[in-house]
Amino acid sequence: MIDPKTLSARFPGDFLFGVATASFQIEGATKTDGRKASIWDAFSNMPGRVFGRHNGDIACDHYNRMDEDLDLIKSLGVEAYRFSIAWPRIIPEGTGPINEKGLDFYDRLVDGLKARNIKAYATLYHWDLPLALMGDGGWTSRTTAYAFQRYAKTVIARIGDRLDSVATFNEPWCSVWLSHLYGIHAPGERNLDAALHALHHTNLAHGLGVDVVRHHQPNLPVGIVLNAHSIYPGSESAEDMAAAERAFEFHNGVFFGPVFEGKYPDGFMSALGHRMPEIEEADLAIISQKLDWWGLNYYTPMRVSHDATPNADFPATVAAEPVSDIKTDIGWEVYSPALANLVRRLNSQYPLPPCYITENGACYNMGVVDGQVDDQPRLDYIADHLSVTADLIAEGQPIKGYFAWSLMDNFEWAEGYRMRFGIVHVDYNTQVRTVKKSGHWYCELAAQFPRQEI
Ligand code: GCO
């Protein structure tokens, strides 16, 4: 087992350790204090979408247990908490009236963090789009980007003064491709044209969100969280290597390009540009405003081969076999060199600001035995990826912090509650939280970075 003290010595003294969650995954109380339905409420209530037809009605009941959960974070000794704000609590119908009670909840949350000397890293959009916006087409409609802008402004005006950092979007790859092309996440669409529209409107909304922060809280660091894919060809054949490059454009380039270079990738545009929605003249300038940081969510590599099917849509790839037979309980290959590879490539290709690893962690489903959760494989996974992170910092890659995903077991989207990523176990019958072995280890690591009380 990697000793936390030895590992900590490989990080700079100002490196930030945190834990992360997302609103829909933990809050529950979906009908409380004026909140209305999100696309995830609707999606999880349809048969066949989410494992066991699980939904977010109760989740970790965090909405009602916020103070205890903040005490839990404090007890872990981490410096920062990354959470997301539920748009359907703030503007329950997406546009229209603002719900003061929703704002009050996050007001208490940020004050609770300040009172405990924990930094607040907020995300504005972690996939819980107000359901009413589907009446206009959801993310496929340009109007949703402007609805997001107003929502962002409402949040920043109310709590922006007490945030330490803000992200516009979490993993647009998921809310665009996984949600509109692959049909796995809400709204469950499987249509390339819909997905291309969602892509540009999400990127535009990001840019409009950055604008809001720059105008209303100019000193608040703003960024975006991307689940960039570390892509490997299934073989060294020229065809598979070319397939991997196309996949890089499709899965990474369509976000990194507009956000950091002000353009969509060339190969992608020549293949699919004619199916994109209208890109108005100022759009790319809005999307590519300078950011203070970016967040990387990394779990597993993506391996692809050339898809020889005639007329296959760009990027024309199929999944290739994993190289490591070590997998987590959700079936994801464990392969930490892919993290190093990814960070190096992204920093050499794009002019990126400093990076935080905003999510990393592993799914292992072991439960409580005699009051303890022995999740050694999760501990090993985190230690291994932190060790790679330390190497990257040593070679000069600008990585400023690391957030474990997740603070606690929670609603794992299409997998419902059966897949557990927490460093704290949640018993969904009693809502009892039990710090796992990985959580105790992480706490010892964080303790090596003593902080001043503010
Ligand atoms: C994400 C997520 C989390 C997931 C995690 C594990 O951004 O993908 O923030 O919501 O739970 O990635 O799949």
Side-chain angles (χ1 to χ4, degrees), residues 137-201:
W139 285 113
T140 68
S141 166
R142 190 174 169 101
T143 53
T144 296
Y146 297 101
F148 173 82
Q149 181 182 32
R150 174 168 174 257
Y151 154 68
K153 189 168 156 189
T154 309
V155 171
I156 296 301
R158 177 71 174 264
I159 62 168
D161 58 331
R162 282 153 292 148
L163 296 179
D164 294 281
S165 188
V166 68
T168 53
F169 280 75
N170 175 73
E171 299 195 359
W173 181 90
C174 290
S175 53
V176 172
W177 298 143
L178 199 60
S179 302
H180 293 84
L181 181 59
Y182 306 133
I184 309 288
H185 278 189
E189 182 64 87
R190 284 196 173 88
N191 181 295
L192 182 56
D193 296 290
L196 293 170
H197 283 64
L199 168 67
H200 184 63
H201 299 141

Side-chain angles (χ1 to χ4, degrees), residues 22 25 82 126-127 170-171 174 297 299 330 332 359 405 410-413 421:
Q25 295 182 276
R82 172 173 178 254
H126 200 128
W127 312 345
N170 175 73
E171 299 195 359
C174 290
N297 291 357
Y299 293 92
I330 201 169
W332 298 353
E359 279 179 34
W405 182 270
N410 58 48
F411 177 78
E412 178 51 32
W413 307 111
F421 278 82

Side-chain angles (χ1 to χ4, degrees), residues 16 79-81 83 110 113-114 117-122 159-167 219-222 292-293 356 454:
L16 176 140
E79 186 174 349
Y81 176 47
F83 60 96
V110 290
L113 288 170
K114 298 289 102 165
N117 197 28
I118 301 164
K119 292 191 170 124
Y121 277 58
I159 62 168
D161 58 331
R162 282 153 292 148
L163 296 179
D164 294 281
S165 188
V166 68
N219 296 322
L220 173 59
V222 59
D292 300 299
W293 61 277
Y356 287 84
I454 21 176

Side-chain angles (χ1 to χ4, degrees), residues 32 47 58 77 105 107 125 221 242 264 328 337 348 355 362 368 401 444:
T32 306
I58 300 175
F105 174 73
D107 214 54
Y125 187 76
Y264 284 98
T328 65
S348 66
C355 170
V368 183
E444 219 182 309

Side-chain angles (χ1 to χ4, degrees), residues 390-407:
D391 289 342
L392 286 167
I393 295 170
E395 71 182 49
Q397 304 287 344
I399 307 178
K400 301 285 181 205
Y402 175 98
F403 291 80
W405 182 270
S406 175
L407 165 65

Side-chain angles (χ1 to χ4, degrees), residues 349-377:
Q349 184 162 342
Y350 300 104
L352 301 179
C355 170
Y356 287 84
I357 296 182
T358 32
E359 279 179 34
N360 177 244
C363 175
Y364 289 104
N365 296 327
M366 55 287 277
V368 183
V369 178
D370 297 332
Q372 320 252 331
V373 184
D374 182 354
D375 62 339
Q376 187 66 41

